[in-house]
Amino acid sequence: MSIGRTGESRAAAEGTDPHRWWGLVVIALAQLMVVLDATIVNIALPSAQRALHMSDGNRQWVITAYTLAFGGLLLLGGRIADLVGRKRAFVTGLAGFALASALGGAATGSGMLFGARALQGAFAAVLAPSALSLLTTMFTDPRERGRAFGVFSALAGSGSAIGLIVGGVLTEYLTWRWCLYVNVPIAALAVFGAFTLLHDRPGHGDVRLDVPGALLGCGGLAAIVYGVGEAQPRGWASPLVLAVLAAGVALLAAFVWWQARAPDPLLPLRILRSRDRAGCLLTMAFAVIGMFGVFLFMTYYLQVILGYSPFRTGLAFLPMTAMILAGATQISARLLPHVPPRRLLVPGMLLAASGLLLLTRLTVRSSYAGEILPSLLLLGLGMGLTFMPVFATVTAGVAARDAGITSATVNAAQQAGGSIGTALLNTIATTSAASYVAARPHRPGAVPAGTVHGYAVAIGCAALIMLVSALTAGLMVTAPAPKHGTRAGRPVREPVG
């Protein structure tokens, strides 16, 4: 007993939390839940669509409602954590995420499910930045912090794979609703651990929230996603579609205008003045479009066309996830200190684009081993080469006061790109499928063939966007190899703007 007290006293004197490693478990559990939720619902989506009678045009809202709210409110969530305190924001995000998950699991219609997914994204936007901030303040020793972030990153990286497997098991052996219900016990355990193990100082009452900025940014993204989604039933020339898209662009322009004048902006525009940083953010936004599109269309292709079970579908995606991890940890992490970032980004995007182009050959009888697996491996390797240099370059040399907001901006760009990309590619797929079937009204098997044709056209468009991403990285990201540039951990002084 006395030894334990002595250890805690010594830790307190050194300014460290004696329960920090158990606290890391709590924080990692919460992060795992947020990351897992991004893929677990993909596997359940075909079952949920049948149960709730969603149209092919509207099904994308199960994904985009979450990513829109998450990405649109992420910067505001970080400010809320500063205002009310990290621990309080963390617990609030956990509790809200659990309640929204229970609401989605009990959904009796598509609108109720879409609303629950948006609530999940909103609470995730509060939860994610507070979790990262708690981790940063709990571990002050550089060596311990490196180990802690290694554990945190490993769980975040494996969360997608875990989500695919868990989503398949729950959907196949229970029901798709448990892909949402499963968050409730996880969140309850994390809340209990947070009250027991996490400690934090009170919030800063002088922090001001940029609510107008949040409304303009999130509203603009939502309008664009809604307009793209409505293009499928109404047509791109529809006055409503054109008006909503124009409104979305106007709102985003107003967001940029306001951020340049707001006293406490959500997104200080000075962090975008770096050509390398802006190029990496655009590269990330374009890259995730292809990722989200593949998860959506290949889930339907494997389950609906090839007749895979949900569990087998989850297993089918694992090689791609493994290649992402291998590309990031075994190739990019080893090469980045010696080569400029764009020498990884450009080949990575070209590999990913080639994987997508191979998928455009899909037919109703394509084999997994011969045609699908090589494409997934190329796509995974390309994304793995891309993710690590993007995060490293975006955060390199940033002023200390902007470190948190810069990290949040990368995640926001990822979620925003995924939202718009999912809506756009889903509209392209459903429109192409409808045109294919309409041109062959009496041909046997026209409907499944048309569905696969729609997937192939949408994936081809995603490949073109990947090529744009490669071009963006090649032209805009001109930073040298890190060891020849700014030293890691020593931020540069940036102008105030």
Side-chain angles (χ1 to χ4, degrees):
M1 181 71 70
S2 61
I3 294 176
R5 288 177 179 172
T6 302
E8 290 191 13
S9 300
R10 185 184 301 114
E14 294 172 355
T16 57
D17 185 346
H19 303 296
R20 59 193 179 279
W21 291 107
W22 283 109
L24 171 62
V25 174
V26 174
I27 294 172
L29 186 65
Q31 177 68 14
L32 178 63
M33 181 181 68
V34 172
V35 175
L36 179 148
D37 208 70
T39 54
I40 193 173
V41 175
N42 275 278
I43 300 298
L45 189 52
S47 299
Q49 181 179 1
R50 290 191 299 268
L52 299 181
H53 308 292
M54 300 179 212
S55 68
D56 287 345
N58 286 336
R59 67 190 178 194
Q60 51 92 11
W61 282 105
V62 176
I63 299 171
T64 53
Y66 178 82
T67 55
L68 258 179
F70 192 6
L73 299 175
L74 188 61
L75 300 178
L76 183 65
R79 296 289 190 185
I80 291 174
D82 292 335
L83 175 65
V84 305
R86 299 178 183 92
K87 178 179 175 180
R88 184 178 298 178
F90 183 76
V91 171
T92 301
L94 280 170
F97 197 90
L99 290 174
S101 298
L103 181 66
T108 56
S110 58
M112 185 175 174
L113 179 59
F114 299 158
R117 290 286 287 164
L119 278 176
Q120 278 187 305
F123 283 109
V126 176
L127 174 60
S130 59
L132 195 58
S133 298
L134 282 168
L135 189 65
T136 301
T137 56
M138 285 168 55
F139 293 90
T140 55
D141 180 81
R143 288 176 297 179
E144 284 195 348
R145 178 177 289 190
R147 289 164 57 194
F149 271 92
V151 173
F152 186 82
S153 300
L155 280 174
S158 61
S160 297
I162 296 172
L164 294 169
I165 299 300
V166 173
V169 170
L170 293 176
T171 302
E172 185 167 349
Y173 296 106
L174 292 174
T175 171
W176 65 268
R177 297 180 185 276
W178 275 97
C179 291
L180 294 161
Y181 286 144
V182 71
N183 292 321
V184 177
I186 297 176
L189 183 62
V191 167
F192 175 78
F195 279 120
T196 307
L197 299 168
L198 300 183
H199 307 284
D200 186 40
R201 297 174 181 175
H204 303 281
D206 58 342
V207 173
R208 287 190 288 180
L209 301 179
D210 183 15
V211 176
L215 293 175
L216 289 171
C218 200
L221 288 174
I224 290 176
V225 170
Y226 178 75
V228 170
E230 286 297 304
Q232 189 270 327
R234 300 175 183 272
W236 287 101
S238 164
L240 175 65
V241 170
L242 295 176
V244 172
L245 290 175
V249 172
L251 286 171
L252 291 180
F255 170 78
V256 175
W257 174 86
W258 174 250
Q259 294 308 286
R261 290 158 179 79
D264 294 289
L266 282 178
L267 178 60
L269 297 184
R270 60 178 173 269
I271 70 173
L272 300 180
R273 291 176 183 169
S274 164
R275 176 175 175 173
D276 295 315
R277 196 171 297 130
C280 282
L281 289 172
L282 285 174
T283 299
M284 173 64 80
F286 289 137
V288 296
I289 291 176
M291 282 288 294
F292 276 67
V294 166
F295 274 126
L296 176 64
F297 300 129
M298 293 310 298
T299 295
Y300 274 87
Y301 178 80
L302 293 171
Q303 290 190 40
V304 177
I305 303 299
L306 297 187
Y308 280 30
S309 68
F311 178 59
R312 190 181 177 189
T313 300
L315 291 177
F317 281 113
L318 282 185
M320 182 177 74
T321 305
M323 291 303 291
I324 292 175
L325 293 174
T329 61
Q330 302 304 313
I331 301 178
S332 285
R334 295 174 185 270
L335 292 180
L336 186 59
H338 310 287
V339 301
R342 67 175 171 183
R343 292 193 181 178
L344 294 171
L345 295 175
V346 174
M349 287 293 90
L350 292 178
L351 281 172
S354 64
L356 291 174
L357 287 173
L358 288 177
L359 283 178
T360 60
R361 304 178 305 164
L362 285 177
T363 68
V364 292
R365 296 182 180 84
S366 293
S367 69
Y368 175 79
E371 298 172 76
I372 299 172
L373 179 59
S375 303
L376 296 181
L377 293 175
L378 283 172
L379 178 62
L381 179 59
M383 298 305 292
L385 290 176
T386 302
F387 283 151
M388 191 269 179
V390 163
F391 280 104
T393 306
V394 166
T395 55
V398 70
R401 59 177 172 157
D402 292 329
I405 199 68
T406 302
S407 299
T409 302
V410 182
N411 289 307
Q414 186 175 355
Q415 300 298 329
S419 301
I420 296 174
T422 300
L424 175 64
L425 295 178
N426 187 68
T427 294
I428 292 173
T430 52
T431 302
S432 300
S435 299
Y436 183 96
V437 174
R440 301 161 178 82
H442 305 297
R443 177 179 297 182
V447 173
T451 300
V452 175
H453 171 76
Y455 297 161
V457 171
I459 291 172
C461 292
L464 292 177
I465 295 173
M466 286 286 194
L467 293 176
V468 172
S469 182
L471 184 63
T472 301
L475 295 177
M476 294 187 67
V477 183
T478 58
K483 72 173 185 179
H484 300 303
T486 304
R487 290 180 58 187
R490 181 177 295 179
V492 297
R493 187 181 303 273
E494 296 192 24
V496 177

